[in-house]
Amino acid sequence: MSIDELQDRRNQERMENVLEKRYNDKFEFVGVLDSSFNYTVYELKSENFPNEEIRLAIYYESNDFWDDKKWEDNYLNIKYREEAERALNKLGKEAYGQETEIKINYLNTAVIPGAVAEKCQTFNDYMENVLMYSSIHILTNGSISEKGINTDSFITLLKTKGYLARRLTLYYFEDGTNYEHYEDVLNSAIHVESINIGNDYTVVKNQ
């Protein structure tokens, strides 16, 4: 094994060890997913989620490679996705009606800074600290005239719970539309509304 190969393996082991300590899971380095002049995104496999792609992004500014709290990964998004969707669906049904379905779009499995992830010891910690890195898709089946294009009640419920998302995207459908797959959502929506939400829950509607 060459010196370069030895150094690469030591770096890979460090990545595995940092994530193992952070999440109490076993990790195996797979390879490089993406690379640019100032960052590299690596793929690892997790013992708890063997079929999922764990992404680890490391930026090469200000010696970030040696500060693992600045390393960003998507592990918590994978761990809590289903539970987060159940919680948001409960709020969505309260705000929009029982036929409403909510999906969380992680924007290509968005990564979370390590310093933030380490604060998240519970699901509630995750919802209060990490949801802001995601977009929420609200899929409501029914006429616009019946539902109204109004997200104030849903945002109020999010605020009451202490949940903060970066963006809400509403998709409206005719009754009976199949939106099982994300492609169906894009092709079948009769109205789409995207809303940016700031830390103070100010709503800015896109025109």
Side-chain angles (χ1 to χ4, degrees), residues 128-183:
E128 292 172 1
N129 292 283
V130 177
L131 194 63
M132 67 180 70
Y133 295 91
S134 307
S135 292
I136 299 174
H137 289 176
I138 301 174
L139 315 178
T140 180
N141 213 354
S143 71
I144 295 175
S145 59
E146 290 175 357
K147 298 295 177 187
I149 310 299
N150 185 348
T151 59
D152 291 347
S153 59
F154 185 68
I155 292 171
T156 298
L157 290 170
L158 287 176
K159 182 177 180 180
T160 300
K161 287 287 188 179
Y163 302 162
L164 177 61
R166 178 167 53 186
R167 178 183 293 270
L168 298 180
T169 305
L170 290 81
Y171 296 91
Y172 289 84
F173 301 89
E174 297 286 0
D175 286 334
T177 299
N178 176 19
Y179 45 76
E180 179 179 354
H181 302 291
Y182 185 63
E183 292 76 10

Side-chain angles (χ1 to χ4, degrees), residues 57-206:
I58 300 178
Y59 297 84
Y60 302 108
E61 298 177 356
S62 304
N63 293 319
D64 282 1
F65 184 81
W66 303 109
D67 185 357
D68 55 63
K69 290 188 182 299
K70 294 182 179 179
W71 293 7
E72 302 183 358
D73 68 83
N74 67 327
Y75 183 87
L76 290 180
N77 288 338
I78 291 169
K79 179 178 180 179
Y80 288 124
R81 180 168 189 160
E82 290 185 4
E83 192 172 354
E85 287 187 341
R86 285 196 298 271
L88 292 174
N89 268 293
K90 184 176 180 180
L91 299 182
K93 292 180 188 306
E94 184 176 341
Y96 293 102
Q98 290 301 310
E99 67 273 34
T100 301
E101 180 180 2
I102 289 178
K103 296 288 186 182
I104 301 176
N105 173 26
Y106 283 117
L107 304 178
N108 199 24
T109 57
V111 288
I112 302 160
V116 175
E118 289 178 5
K119 296 179 183 177
C120 300
Q121 302 299 314
T122 67
F123 172 68
N124 282 338
D125 291 340
Y126 169 82
M127 294 295 281
E128 292 172 1
N129 292 283
V130 177
L131 194 63
M132 67 180 70
Y133 295 91
S134 307
S135 292
I136 299 174
H137 289 176
I138 301 174
L139 315 178
T140 180
N141 213 354
S143 71
I144 295 175
S145 59
E146 290 175 357
K147 298 295 177 187
I149 310 299
N150 185 348
T151 59
D152 291 347
S153 59
F154 185 68
I155 292 171
T156 298
L157 290 170
L158 287 176
K159 182 177 180 180
T160 300
K161 287 287 188 179
Y163 302 162
L164 177 61
R166 178 167 53 186
R167 178 183 293 270
L168 298 180
T169 305
L170 290 81
Y171 296 91
Y172 289 84
F173 301 89
E174 297 286 0
D175 286 334
T177 299
N178 176 19
Y179 45 76
E180 179 179 354
H181 302 291
Y182 185 63
E183 292 76 10
D184 299 326
V185 170
L186 298 179
N187 295 331
S188 303
I190 59 175
H191 178 82
V192 178
E193 181 181 10
S194 188
I195 300 171
N196 295 322
I197 305 179
N199 289 344
D200 59 354
Y201 290 87
T202 300
V203 177
V204 180
K205 295 189 177 182
N206 294 350

